[in-house]
Amino acid sequence: MELSYWWILPLAAAAVTVAAWLYLRRRRSVQTRVVAHGDRLTDLPEYRLALRRYRTRLALAALLAGLVLVASAITAARPALRSTEQPEIRNRDIVLCLDVSGSMASTDAALAAVFKDLAKQFDGERIGMVIFDSSSVQLFPLTDDYDYVEEQLSHAEKALSDGAGSFFDGTWNGEGSSLIGDGLASCVQSFPDTDPSGNAAGDTARSRSVVLATDNFVSGAPIFTLSEAAALAGTKNVKVHALNPSDLDYGDQPDQPGAQLKAAVEATGGAYSGVDNPEAVPRIVRKVQETEATTYVSAPQAVVTDAPGWPLGIAVLAGLGMLVLGRRVEP
């Protein structure tokens, strides 16, 4: 237990001392008069009993008033408990990877809403987001600030709905458009560097997932093919989960975009779903949770908690006692 504003106590003691001195000084200056035969009154048993009651009540009132003053001063000094905590942190990193090419224009806003819904279902993970067309832009890096994540996803949803040009700045710097392999490779590279064993350098092993939203309709010559980007994800222990808004537009032949996307993400251990599938988001959440490694304890953090309960309780009880004593006691 410690007092945040300990200096209030000596100030309160000084104020009480000055008030008591002024009271005693005033009392000494009061003129008294001698009454003849006063002992006839003071010797009466009823008088003595009433006097004892009065003095007892006065002493109790003084004691309770002192308790009220002391407890109030301690409360004003803000008693607090200081402790050290080492919270457990879930070691999952998730990058949301959104294709913002022309073929995705009609579904990107809905996908941003899906991402926002997806982010709400995680707890303790770090989340980042990358958008891409012919080149990639990191919308926000990996973070566990969920208020910030929600704010950015809401901004993305609005920008994608309105077609705001500034939101897409930086995504047209390459040749062609909808370079899926390059976009996925950029998302995979958004994770911290890894050592040869595949673990984050200088950090506890963390599970890594990319949630990729694309129709896999390539228009250009990417540096990375989709399969090469998936292989890169595999070397970095990254699982890729895909959401395809055009899943129903393609057949299941191996050379079709949807089939190629499904094969690529499943090769990394990830899941593939159509956006219209009501089980898409819950399925991806389950797949990400299946990759969770054991939680680890973060660095110690000092925690200061206000603890005004006991002095306030004493002050309230003492005040109630004074109210009871203030009532007239029948003999």
Side-chain angles (χ1 to χ4, degrees):
M1 177 70 71
E2 62 182 42
L3 298 177
S4 302
Y5 308 122
W6 58 268
W7 45 267
I8 289 181
L9 295 185
L11 287 180
V16 170
T17 301
V18 171
W21 178 74
L22 291 175
Y23 172 76
L24 293 175
R25 182 181 178 184
R26 180 180 177 184
R27 186 174 181 182
R28 290 194 191 101
S29 64
V30 175
Q31 298 294 328
T32 60
R33 294 184 180 182
V34 179
V35 178
H37 306 294
D39 56 335
R40 294 181 180 180
L41 174 63
T42 58
D43 288 340
L44 294 175
E46 291 81 0
Y47 179 85
R48 293 189 175 187
L49 177 61
L51 182 60
R52 284 197 299 271
R53 287 179 176 174
Y54 171 74
R55 288 175 175 173
T56 300
R57 291 172 58 196
L58 189 61
L60 286 175
L63 175 62
L64 293 174
L67 286 176
V68 170
L69 289 174
V70 172
S72 299
I74 293 176
T75 301
R78 193 179 175 183
L81 295 174
R82 184 181 295 272
S83 60
T84 301
E85 294 183 356
Q86 289 183 282
E88 288 188 346
I89 297 178
R90 298 187 183 187
N91 52 351
R92 285 196 296 236
D93 287 345
I94 304 164
V95 171
L96 306 176
C97 195
L98 178 61
D99 178 1
V100 293
S101 60
S103 62
M104 294 283 290
S106 61
T107 57
D108 273 341
L111 284 173
V114 170
F115 276 0
K116 188 162 64 172
D117 181 46
L118 193 64
K120 290 178 181 178
Q121 299 186 51
F122 293 120
D123 179 23
E125 295 81 6
R126 295 191 305 188
I127 299 176
M129 186 173 179
V130 173
I131 59 175
F132 68 91
D133 188 359
S134 61
S135 57
S136 302
V137 173
Q138 187 177 62
L139 193 62
F140 56 87
L142 288 168
T143 178
D144 57 3
D145 185 346
Y146 290 108
D147 291 336
Y148 175 74
V149 170
E150 184 175 359
E151 176 186 342
Q152 291 300 311
L153 288 174
S154 297
H155 171 67
E157 183 181 5
K158 183 177 186 302
L160 290 165
S161 298
D162 299 341
S166 60
F167 177 78
F168 302 97
D169 289 349
T171 62
W172 303 317
N173 294 336
E175 295 182 2
S177 67
S178 194
L179 305 184
I180 312 302
D182 292 351
L184 177 57
S186 296
C187 294
V188 171
Q189 295 289 4
S190 297
F191 296 101
D193 292 336
T194 58
D195 58 28
S197 65
N199 295 331
D203 199 0
T204 305
R206 305 179 66 90
S207 72
R208 299 171 166 202
S209 301
V210 168
V211 181
L212 172 64
T214 181
D215 56 8
N216 196 30
F217 187 80
V218 182
S219 178
I223 298 173
F224 285 85
T225 65
L226 178 60
S227 58
E228 288 172 343
L232 176 65
T235 62
K236 293 181 174 292
N237 293 330
V238 176
K239 289 182 170 59
V240 181
H241 308 279
L243 290 169
N244 187 353
S246 302
D247 179 63
L248 299 180
D249 295 341
Y250 304 116
D252 56 1
Q253 291 80 7
D255 60 340
Q256 293 298 320
Q260 291 177 351
L261 181 59
K262 181 177 180 181
V265 300
E266 289 182 348
T268 69
Y272 173 88
S273 298
V275 173
D276 292 336
N277 184 350
E279 284 295 316
V281 171
R283 184 186 180 201
I284 287 178
V285 171
R286 288 195 300 269
K287 293 291 288 186
V288 171
Q289 289 173 339
E290 288 173 2
T291 65
E292 179 184 6
T294 55
T295 57
Y296 68 95
V297 179
S298 67
Q301 300 177 0
V303 178
V304 179
T305 306
D306 288 336
W310 66 268
L312 276 178
I314 292 175
V316 170
L317 291 176
L320 291 175
M322 291 182 66
L323 289 177
V324 172
L325 285 175
R327 299 179 60 185
R328 180 176 179 179
V329 179
E330 295 295 337

